[in-house]
Amino acid sequence: MLRLLGILLTVLFAIATAIVVWPQFFQLEQTFPFAQIVAVRGVVLAAFLAIAVLSLLMLFARPLRGFAASILIVALVGAAATGAIGAMRGFGTGSLPEKTDASVRVLTWNTAGEAVSAETIADAILTREVDVVTLPETAESVGERIAVMLREQGHPMWVHHVQFGDVENGPQAWETTILISPDLGDYSVIQSSEDGSSNTSSVPSAVIMPVSGSGPTIVAVHAVAPRVEAMERWQSDLEWIADQCPQGDFIIAGDFNATLDHMAALGVGGGDMGYCRDAASRTGTGITGTWPADYPELIGAPIDHVMATQNWNPTGSLVLDAAGSDHRALVVQLDPVAD
């Protein structure tokens, strides 16, 4: 009886391991609780290693030796697979190559209201020579203060803004602010983003198009978090984001509240979200956690992204200290693909 129980537990553990390592194979990557588990692959890896160590200790108990060996093998396979996925996407905090005249640098940072000062954001923009900034949970007034500081330093940027709700001094989670260098041309937020007729469900995103008809369309993203009561809205938000990246010239950046695993069914033509490809996973920082910032990077969730269509080549990415926010910032360099 004990042997049969051991076999049953081993089979169940093997099935659970397969689901946790690659839930998209079972089409469970957007299903509770697997969506929450796969978001923190560093924790999953640590859990497999802890189970492996426990199994090693159990080998000293002769009656449990066969069961412990089976669990040990499954745990090591799960750890190896999880580690291999992490290695392919990248565990580092990254770096940026030398910027060229054609390069575009994009910064995204969920600032948690004014947890990060305008001065800190402006300094990050100046230091990294950023051209496009998306700031979920940041008020327009903060964006304007940043723009004034940048102008005084010879780095002007235009401010764009979307807000849900008409409550004066309402929560900054209802706002998303975008700054774009005039070197990229004149831009305007499309009407459907401003009036919410085509947008994410609970917190605002924005589609900003070049007025002149040249330059990339910028999509500033803020999806709702995948809480138990918000799973359907979260899934709808991800589908909306994917729809904002058709073929063409697009850069999307922001707080997706999703990792690459959650996007498995949303990519088209080699993209991760629509036709857009994730920059961090192609430049060595794809597993580095951007949330929550008070956790080490290796056990956080990489839910903040910069993505672009295939006319852009990601050449570097850098995860920055949170400086007070619950999210770390992400800076990416994109270079045009040679014709």
Side-chain angles (χ1 to χ4, degrees):
M1 180 64 71
L2 287 176
R3 182 181 180 187
L4 289 176
L5 179 60
I7 293 172
L8 176 61
L9 291 175
T10 301
V11 170
L12 291 176
F13 180 55
I15 293 171
T17 296
I19 294 173
V20 168
V21 169
W22 203 248
Q24 44 268 60
F25 178 81
F26 305 90
Q27 299 183 350
L28 293 172
E29 73 276 6
Q30 293 187 12
T31 303
F32 178 86
F34 306 108
Q36 286 72 18
I37 294 172
V38 78
V40 283
R41 283 194 175 273
V43 174
V44 171
L45 176 58
F48 280 133
L49 293 175
I51 293 171
V53 170
L54 181 61
S55 299
L56 280 171
L57 295 175
M58 290 170 60
L59 288 173
F60 290 101
R62 181 170 296 178
L64 298 175
R65 194 164 290 169
F67 171 68
S70 300
I71 294 296
L72 174 61
I73 292 170
V74 175
L76 290 176
V77 170
T82 303
I85 293 168
M88 287 188 293
R89 296 179 183 175
F91 289 103
T93 55
S95 61
L96 297 172
E98 185 175 349
K99 189 177 183 184
T100 70
D101 291 340
S103 300
V104 171
R105 286 190 178 171
V106 183
L107 164 68
T108 186
W109 200 348
N110 183 328
T111 61
E114 295 196 51
V116 183
S117 69
E119 291 80 6
T120 298
I121 301 169
D123 180 66
I125 294 169
L126 283 169
T127 303
R128 276 82 189 185
E129 302 178 81
V130 174
D131 306 288
V132 177
V133 185
T134 66
L135 300 173
E137 300 192 18
T138 306
E140 183 177 26
S141 59
V142 177
E144 290 171 346
R145 295 207 305 272
I146 294 169
V148 169
M149 297 177 202
L150 294 174
R151 184 185 63 202
E152 292 173 350
Q153 296 296 318
H155 190 84
M157 301 190 85
W158 301 122
V159 179
H160 305 275
H161 175 256
V162 173
Q163 178 176 352
F164 280 179
D166 298 322
V167 180
E168 187 175 353
N169 297 320
Q172 291 192 37
W174 292 357
E175 303 184 58
T176 296
T177 293
I178 308 97
L179 294 92
I180 301 175
S181 169
D183 292 340
L184 295 177
D186 294 330
Y187 278 77
S188 178
V189 177
I190 66 171
Q191 184 60 39
S192 59
S193 291
E194 292 191 338
D195 62 25
S197 59
S198 175
N199 211 307
T200 38
S201 60
S202 302
V203 283
S205 299
V207 179
I208 310 102
M209 297 189 68
V211 174
S212 61
S214 61
T217 296
I218 309 296
V219 185
V221 169
H222 195 186
V224 69
R227 301 182 182 90
V228 177
E229 70 279 5
M231 291 299 290
E232 289 187 6
R233 284 182 285 136
W234 175 67
Q235 293 162 3
S236 175
D237 282 359
L238 295 185
E239 291 173 0
W240 181 88
I241 294 167
D243 288 343
Q244 306 315 303
C245 199
Q247 287 182 304
D249 189 3
F250 290 82
I251 296 173
I252 60 178
D255 179 3
F256 288 61
N257 266 310
T259 70
L260 288 180
D261 295 293
H262 303 128
M263 306 171 190
L266 298 173
V268 180
D272 297 304
M273 288 290 270
Y275 284 91
C276 283
R277 302 180 301 170
D278 180 66
S281 61
R282 288 167 172 80
T283 53
T285 60
I287 290 291
T288 306
T290 58
W291 179 90
D294 53 355
Y295 284 25
E297 290 96 332
L298 293 183
I299 61 172
I303 60 174
D304 300 271
H305 302 273
V306 176
M307 301 188 180
T309 41
Q310 295 184 21
N311 56 304
W312 293 101
N313 181 36
T315 53
S317 59
L318 181 63
V319 179
L320 301 180
D321 180 70
S325 175
D326 57 342
H327 286 250
R328 296 181 179 90
L330 175 66
V331 184
V332 163
Q333 180 163 315
L334 302 170
D335 287 290
V337 172
D339 294 332

